[in-house]
Amino acid sequence: MMTTLNTTRLLALLLAFTSVGMLFSCKKDNDGNTNTGKVELLSFGPTGAKHGDTLRFFGRNLDKVTAIHFTGKDAIVEKAKFIQQKAELILLIVPPAAEKGFVTLKTPDGDVVTKTQLNLGVMATVTTMTMTARPGENITISGNYLNWVKSITFARDKVVTTFVSQTLNQLVVRVPDDAQTGPLVIYYTGTDSMAVQTADTLKVKLPIASAFAPAAVKHADNLTITGTDLDLAKKIIFTGVSTPVTVFVSQTATQLVVKIPAGAKSGKLIFEAASGVQTTSAMDVNILLPSITTLAPNPINPGANLTITGTNLDLVTTVTFENAPAVSTFVSRTPTQIVVQSPMGIARGKVTVGVINSTLSVQSNDILDIVGAAPPPTVALPFYDDAVTTNWTSTGWIGGGWGGTRDYSNTSPVRAGTKSVKISYVGGYGSPMQLGGASVAVGAYTSFKLSIFGAPGSGGKQVNVGINGSDKYTITVVEGVWTDYSIPISSLTASGTISEIWVKEYTGAGGFTIYVDAMGLN
């Protein structure tokens, strides 16, 4: 079945045959009156006839015509099928297979070809069509007058003008590699040119995954995917990886083998066909990563051995302590335990492990404390304690700042709790961290406290603690350690309240990072 989309009437049928002259559409082959004995065609028509209509040929010696051939396969009317044949007139029925084109009269003296083309009023119809197909497969459309079809448009305006085969009642067309599911639009020509849309939808198959093996896989290992139409997958997108995988170890319709990329995380896979249409796996890929359960001893003396327990620790390639280069040589290593010597100069913070054949890393939940390190300062009224506290946000706000970035949920290094503020200055004269809009009474407190840790390259740089819109206290950054500051409130404000706090880089040096923690009043 089809639904008409657009109709453009090219030629209207001429008026009813009230005069012979109005039927003529072919100029005389010979304007003279002398009868040479040869077949002469003077005119024929009407040119806007439909299949099954009566067509008239006017001329001389037409009784010698043995057959009339129309354009189109098997579009032949033999002499015995003429309705009427006289020397001056032939009447016949337009055969169903006739197509637009020249008409040839067969005679004993040779062919006589019309000087103008016969056009026909047709309406292509579809009765059945293939409902499901893969890209690259042939689909069959059955109906009537399909030999007049000039193009088929698949979903998303994918036009096909070359067919595998085409007859009056059947059209076979190859599904484009990038075809999508949707109805077909069929364009045909004739006296009426028309585009029609099929009521039925062609469903184009897509790659579908049904199982993954092995059940758990490491980075750089092969993952075997089983399913259907997997050979149609052009890209696979892993969770955690923005760049799709386009090169596979092997690929068939029922099995696809792909190497796990370095940045992949456990999760679903997305398969993309040539059309750009994506399908998502129903199940997750389980990618093995190390996990850390305990750190011992904790606290640790720098230089002592640290025992890390957990799972899949045989996948660990490096261990990184806060404020120290990565360690890649271990005292011992098993799937459940790593013993590694801690470097000198390490700072309090989380332990991070690198993963074999991967760009990922895994961090401990616990913070590794250092023996002999000063305990975090006491803050009676915190403004930051793993987050900006309600002591501030209940009346104030957290500003975006400028001249760099800030992360209020940084997990390492930390001075107290489990998080700190990471401030990265770029360009100079910036204050990425800004707290404002509050009105915190300071009468019950004597000092403003904060702790700052200088990242590599920050040593000797200067930042300023701004209070209530004015630069109040300059700090020279110490690299690689937490430095605690206790600033008399009397040197910061005389108004009795704090409404703004900025941690500002104002020397123009830029390009360095610090960590801020344990901020508040005491």
Side-chain angles (χ1 to χ4, degrees):
M1 297 179 64
M2 301 186 301
T3 303
T4 300
L5 292 178
N6 177 28
T7 304
T8 304
R9 187 71 175 175
L10 302 176
L11 293 173
L13 292 178
L14 298 176
L15 297 175
F17 302 141
T18 56
S19 69
V20 171
M22 295 184 69
L23 296 175
F24 292 177
S25 63
C26 179
K27 294 182 180 179
K28 296 179 182 178
D29 292 335
N30 187 343
D31 291 332
N33 293 320
T34 302
N35 191 334
T36 62
K38 293 183 179 181
V39 173
E40 299 178 40
L41 178 63
L42 302 179
S43 65
F44 75 101
T47 58
K50 296 182 178 180
H51 296 91
D53 284 353
T54 299
L55 197 64
R56 293 165 168 77
F57 293 84
F58 298 92
R60 297 191 181 101
N61 304 309
L62 298 182
D63 52 338
K64 294 183 178 182
V65 174
T66 60
I68 295 181
H69 289 207
F70 293 81
T71 300
K73 183 180 180 180
D74 300 327
I76 301 171
V77 180
E78 300 290 349
K79 178 183 181 75
K81 296 291 185 179
F82 295 165
I83 297 173
Q84 183 178 347
Q85 184 177 23
K86 298 180 180 179
E88 300 82 13
L89 174 67
I90 293 176
L91 303 181
L92 55 77
I93 300 298
V94 179
E99 298 178 9
K100 177 181 178 180
F102 296 100
V103 180
T104 301
L105 281 65
K106 295 291 185 176
T107 78
D109 300 322
D111 293 347
V112 176
V113 181
T114 61
K115 293 185 177 180
T116 58
Q117 295 188 62
L118 173 68
N119 204 1
L120 294 166
V122 296
M123 178 177 289
T125 58
V126 173
T127 54
T128 62
M129 60 178 279
T130 304
M131 302 296 292
T132 303
R134 288 164 42 91
E137 283 186 345
N138 293 339
I139 63 171
T140 299
I141 302 169
S142 299
N144 201 16
Y145 298 120
L146 297 180
N147 55 324
W148 288 77
V149 173
K150 297 302 180 185
S151 68
I152 294 180
T153 302
F154 290 77
R156 300 294 180 92
D157 299 324
K158 184 65 181 179
V159 180
V160 176
T161 57
T162 301
F163 309 128
V164 177
S165 63
Q166 185 176 23
T167 65
L168 176 68
N169 301 117
Q170 188 182 84
L171 191 151
V172 179
V173 60
R174 180 184 180 276
V175 179
D177 291 338
D178 54 353
Q180 298 186 20
T181 294
L184 305 180
V185 176
I186 298 176
Y187 176 77
Y188 62 91
T189 59
T191 302
D192 292 324
S193 295
M194 187 177 295
V196 295
Q197 178 175 288
T198 60
D200 295 324
T201 294
L202 173 67
K203 182 179 179 181
V204 179
K205 292 184 178 181
L206 293 169
I208 302 295
S210 58
F212 299 140
V217 64
K218 301 189 295 292
H219 291 96
D221 281 357
N222 288 342
L223 175 70
T224 298
I225 304 166
T226 55
T228 57
D229 300 302
L230 295 176
D231 56 329
L232 300 179
K234 301 301 181 183
K235 300 177 182 178
I236 298 180
I237 302 171
F238 284 77
T239 300
V241 181
S242 58
T243 302
V245 176
T246 57
V247 178
F248 311 128
V249 177
S250 63
Q251 186 178 24
T252 67
T254 57
Q255 185 183 88
L256 191 154
V257 179
V258 61
K259 191 178 295 294
I260 302 294
K265 298 179 181 179
S266 295
K268 301 186 185 305
L269 297 187
I270 297 175
F271 301 85
E272 186 172 308
S275 61
V277 177
Q278 297 179 340
T279 55
T280 302
S281 64
M283 70 294 296
D284 289 354
V285 174
N286 182 18
I287 299 177
L288 294 173
L289 287 174
S291 66
I292 299 173
T293 305
T294 62
L295 304 172
N298 191 5
I300 191 172
N301 280 302
N305 286 346
L306 176 70
T307 299
I308 304 171
T309 59
T311 59
N312 299 318
L313 296 180
D314 54 329
L315 303 180
V316 171
T317 55
T318 59
V319 177
T320 303
F321 296 81
E322 194 63 56
N323 197 43
V327 178
S328 57
T329 302
F330 310 127
V331 177
S332 63
R333 180 178 56 176
T334 70
T336 58
Q337 185 183 87
I338 291 176
V339 179
V340 60
Q341 183 179 14
S342 63
M344 300 301 294
I346 61 175
R348 180 178 186 269
K350 296 189 176 184
V351 173
T352 303
V353 297
V355 183
I356 188 171
N357 297 322
S358 176
T359 58
L360 303 179
S361 60
V362 176
Q363 205 170 56
S364 64
N365 291 322
D366 296 335
I367 291 175
L368 182 65
D369 283 302
I370 310 303
V371 172
T378 300
V379 178
L381 182 67
F383 294 154
Y384 181 88
D385 182 11
D386 289 345
V388 178
T389 62
T390 56
N391 294 328
W392 187 272
T393 57
S394 60
T395 58
W397 43 259
I398 304 172
W402 82 98
T405 61
R406 87 295 311 151
D407 178 6
Y408 288 94
S409 299
N410 175 71
T411 58
S412 185
V414 296
R415 185 68 178 103
T418 60
K419 295 178 182 177
S420 64
V421 184
K422 180 181 180 180
I423 304 175
S424 297
Y425 297 103
V426 295
Y429 302 100
S431 181
M433 177 182 177
Q434 294 183 4
L435 305 179
S439 181
V440 180
V442 298
Y445 308 97
T446 60
S447 61
F448 176 88
K449 289 191 172 184
L450 80 161
S451 300
I452 293 180
F453 184 100
S458 66
K461 302 294 176 64
Q462 290 186 323
V463 296
N464 193 279
V465 179
I467 301 294
N468 297 348
S470 299
D471 294 342
K472 290 295 184 179
Y473 190 83
T474 300
I475 292 174
T476 299
V477 178
V478 180
E479 182 178 329
V481 295
W482 281 104
T483 304
D484 304 324
Y485 300 90
S486 181
I487 309 167
I489 291 177
S490 59
S491 67
L492 300 178
T493 178
S495 66
T497 61
I498 293 180
S499 59
E500 290 185 1
I501 302 173
W502 293 11
V503 182
K504 179 181 178 182
E505 195 285 302
Y506 70 105
T507 64
F512 65 95
T513 296
I514 64 170
Y515 302 86
V516 175
D517 203 354
M519 176 189 289
L521 302 178
N522 207 48

